[in-house]
Structures are given as C-alpha cells and as structure tokens.
Amino acid sequence: MAGFRPGFRLVNAFLTPGVGARTLQYQSVRYLETGPKGTYIAKKIPAYVTLQAGKTYAWCLCGLSKKQPFCDGAHKTTEFKPVRFKLDETKKAFLCQCKQTSNRPYCDMTHVSVMMNSFKNKIIGNKK
C-alpha cells in the first residue's frame, strides 16, 4: 500500500500545483489499551518523580495525556478528571501510569497484573 506508515494515519493527500507530485500528511497514532477501570493504560511502569512541597499537581487519570504522569488537558474528551494533590514536604515517589492503582496517584504495583493480563491476552487471545 503506497504511503503506508505503521503507527501513523493518513490525514490528508493532495497534489502540488504545477508539479504533479503527491504530498501526504500523517498524524501519529497511539495505540492504548483500556484497563479494567475503564481508563487508558499510558504505560505499564510507574514514573519516579520528585514532588515539590507546596506545589499543586494534577495527576492524569484518563491515560491520554502526553505529559505522563501529569495532566495536559487531554481528558476533556472523556468522563475522567485529573486527581489534584499537594504535598507538605518535598519527596520522591512512584506515580502510577497504568491508571489502575487503588492508591491514586501513587503506584501500588497493579501494573504487574496489568502487564501479565496484557501478555496473556496477546498469547492466547482476548477471551474474557
């Protein structure tokens, strides 16, 4: 298929006037899995970050943000809202990026079962 690029979708094709050359415009496509809680799985490993005292953070819950693990406003097309939090002291923490944690926004190791289920589904098929 002419012009096919894996991981991208064709959004526009047109001829350049006077040249006859075809110009193709592509948009990158992200393939995201949906987890058991209905949110998208951004990554299957947590982010190790330094969180500053007194600063308000917005942790991405929907999984669509391109600034993981933090919100960039991409949730506006979903029912999910970011989790806002503020710390009294500066600390380093693992923030969840699989979005399936029960201890939002912190990682509770749920990504391990998310990974195992993902691998299982790829090996034997998605049978629920």
Side-chain angles (χ1 to χ4, degrees), residues 28-50:
S28 68
V29 176
R30 296 188 304 161
Y31 299 98
L32 298 174
E33 295 177 61
T34 305
K37 293 189 177 181
T39 58
Y40 290 102
I41 299 169
K43 291 187 178 180
K44 295 175 187 164
I45 57 171
Y48 187 62
V49 296
T50 301

Side-chain angles (χ1 to χ4, degrees), residues 17-73:
V19 179
R22 187 170 65 158
T23 302
L24 303 176
Q25 292 179 336
Y26 290 93
Q27 178 182 35
S28 68
V29 176
R30 296 188 304 161
Y31 299 98
L32 298 174
E33 295 177 61
T34 305
K37 293 189 177 181
T39 58
Y40 290 102
I41 299 169
K43 291 187 178 180
K44 295 175 187 164
I45 57 171
Y48 187 62
V49 296
T50 301
L51 302 169
Q52 301 297 322
K55 182 176 177 182
T56 301
Y57 292 94
W59 174 74
C60 171
L61 175 59
C62 71
L64 295 175
S65 173
K66 291 184 180 175
K67 295 184 177 183
Q68 291 293 336
F70 302 109
C71 177
D72 69 358

Side-chain angles (χ1 to χ4, degrees), residues 3 7 9 14 28 54 67 79 95 99 122:
R9 84 174 154 197
F14 54 92
S28 68
K67 295 184 177 183
E79 67 204 62
L95 297 186
K99 311 305 176 188
K122 287 178 182 172

Side-chain angles (χ1 to χ4, degrees), residues 66-113:
K66 291 184 180 175
K67 295 184 177 183
Q68 291 293 336
F70 302 109
C71 177
D72 69 358
H75 65 273
K76 292 177 180 155
T77 61
T78 74
E79 67 204 62
F80 302 103
K81 303 289 182 220
V83 174
R84 299 190 190 285
F85 66 101
K86 188 180 205 178
L87 300 175
D88 294 330
E89 59 185 46
T90 297
K91 72 174 189 175
K92 293 185 180 201
F94 286 102
L95 297 186
C96 176
Q97 294 190 104
C98 76
K99 311 305 176 188
Q100 309 308 304
T101 184
S102 295
N103 187 25
R104 297 174 180 169
Y106 303 102
C107 176
D108 66 358
M109 301 300 286
T110 303
H111 64 274
V112 175
S113 63

